[in-house]
Amino acid sequence: MSTATTELRRFLTITGRRLANGQSTPEMFSPAVDAAWHRILGTPQYTALCQETAGRPISHAANNGHGPIAWVADYAKAYGPLPQIWFTDTDGNVNQEAIARYRTTGTVVAEWDCTPAGGDGDDFAPDRPETDRR
């Protein structure tokens, strides 16, 4: 299993926990992990993965924004510090400035263009209005 796939599993687990607790969905700020998400979306494997990790269907929604990534503390509590893949683009280039800032402060401020949503796990919602963080 690739690092991006492992991190997608963790992201979906955190998504399920946040939804169960009435919190906002986590922001997908990593191009590399997002690419792994897009490769599996809409497949029977994705449906099974959502049930296994989040305990429910998770859909994909377009949702542009920028700001602090709210779920980083939840991740650190469950898995430790975010690995480098979260700061990696789809070509494998690491944003050294962002990862250094995270390692110094423990916080992430980033842009994102999609988030998970409670749903049937198969949706793409490209026509959803662009919003900032909820």
Side-chain angles (χ1 to χ4, degrees):
M1 182 177 321
S2 74
T3 302
T5 302
T6 297
E7 291 307 306
L8 177 61
R9 293 177 65 81
R10 291 175 175 181
F11 180 78
L12 293 171
T13 299
I14 288 171
T15 298
R17 290 177 187 163
R18 290 181 67 87
L19 289 171
N21 292 333
Q23 297 173 290
S24 64
T25 55
E27 308 86 358
M28 173 52 75
F29 70 93
S30 169
V33 178
D34 189 43
W37 194 8
H38 281 258
R39 281 192 295 276
I40 194 172
L41 272 170
T43 67
Q45 294 84 3
Y46 182 67
T47 301
L49 178 63
C50 289
Q51 286 300 323
E52 178 186 334
T53 58
R56 64 184 291 162
I58 301 294
S59 61
H60 177 280
N63 183 9
N64 292 353
H66 178 271
I69 303 302
W71 55 271
V72 172
D74 295 338
Y75 183 100
K77 187 179 288 186
Y79 306 110
L82 289 170
Q84 183 171 295
I85 192 75
W86 283 101
F87 304 92
T88 303
D89 68 17
T90 56
D91 294 323
N93 301 307
V94 177
N95 182 332
Q96 296 294 341
E97 182 180 321
I99 199 167
R101 185 173 40 252
Y102 166 66
R103 288 178 177 158
T104 301
T105 67
T107 61
V108 176
V109 176
E111 293 181 6
W112 61 89
D113 62 9
C114 61
T115 61
D120 66 12
D122 292 331
D123 328 355
F124 261 120
D127 54 326
R128 181 174 164 187
E130 291 184 10
T131 61
D132 205 347
R133 295 177 44 141
R134 289 177 233 139

